[in-house]
Amino acid sequence: MWEYTEKVRDLFLHPKNVGEMENPDAVGEVGSIVCGDALKLFLRVEKETEKIIDAKFQTFGCASAIASSSALTELIKGRTLDEALEITNNDIAGYLGGLPREKMHCSVMGREALEAAVANYRGEKPPEAEEGEIVCQCYGITDKKLMRVIRENNLRTAEDVTNFTKAGGGCGGCIPEIEKILKEMWAEKAVEEAVKPARLTNIRKISMIKDIIEKEIRPLLQADGGDVELVDVDGNRVLVSLRGMCRECLMADVTAKNIERKLKEMISEELIVEAE
């Protein structure tokens, strides 16, 4: 049984911005009822500024799909189209206080619906219309989509890929091909890291900082009776609060520097960590 946050339960039982929009400026449709999940996103856009002044959705899916769709509409309203496109599927999950790993594909579907709607508004071909070879026959998922989601979410196992895309969750016959794609992609990791990274958006930077603290740093500190909590991110200044044994430890400054070193290594050399 999956454990949902209070935010997910609330937006499932009391979804915001649900329903069809009359004469929308843009529509984005992703998924398929046949595959179990489908989302239709409607946008009202102010033409002079390209600001999203209203957003509604219709979805066929589980509690996570409904909550993710509702969260998406709340996140994008008031933003310009370009600002909205900076929102990642992890931002959607973060707004909900997290999603079960097995339900992360719902946040990915929200991100794809937004991209499709923006492409529709601008008269462009949506990203999912790109040519690619079908890997998962059960859900009609291409190798291009898999590689994109793997890269954006740093996925390492076939199970992760299934959780984020549903590929491999049907008959399972495509699992070997998914594993092959993972192996080939991460074999090129060293080459990709040598290329100068693109400028990080603030939303993406904060999301990455949260992710690394939760997955890479906290478990190590908790193993020794300590802990750390992210308090704020102001530009390149990362404010954290040391907890437990770390708070009174004489090596607290060293702990903060080690956290800074990890964030510099994995995100940006410009980050500075301060412990309150």
Side-chain angles (χ1 to χ4, degrees), residues 243-270:
R243 302 296 177 87
M245 297 295 291
C246 291
R247 177 179 286 277
E248 306 299 331
C249 179
L250 296 177
M251 301 293 286
D253 289 344
V254 175
T255 299
K257 282 298 179 184
N258 286 338
I259 295 173
E260 181 178 283
R261 188 178 300 111
K262 187 71 172 179
L263 295 180
K264 283 178 177 289
E265 174 189 337
M266 300 189 72
I267 302 177
S268 170
E269 286 291 332
E270 298 179 353

Side-chain angles (χ1 to χ4, degrees), residues 21-27 43-47 53 117 120-121:
M21 180 184 291
E22 290 187 11
N23 301 316
D25 295 312
V27 179
L43 301 181
R44 181 89 63 213
V45 182
E46 186 178 66
K47 291 179 172 55
I53 55 179
N120 175 252
Y121 179 82

Side-chain angles (χ1 to χ4, degrees), residues 185-199:
M185 283 188 65
W186 295 119
E188 299 172 356
K189 186 172 185 291
V191 176
E192 292 180 356
E193 289 180 345
V195 178
K196 185 178 179 180
R199 182 183 68 85

Side-chain angles (χ1 to χ4, degrees), residues 174-193:
C174 60
I175 296 295
E177 183 63 23
I178 292 173
E179 291 176 338
K180 179 183 177 182
I181 290 173
L182 284 165
K183 183 178 180 180
E184 291 176 350
M185 283 188 65
W186 295 119
E188 299 172 356
K189 186 172 185 291
V191 176
E192 292 180 356
E193 289 180 345

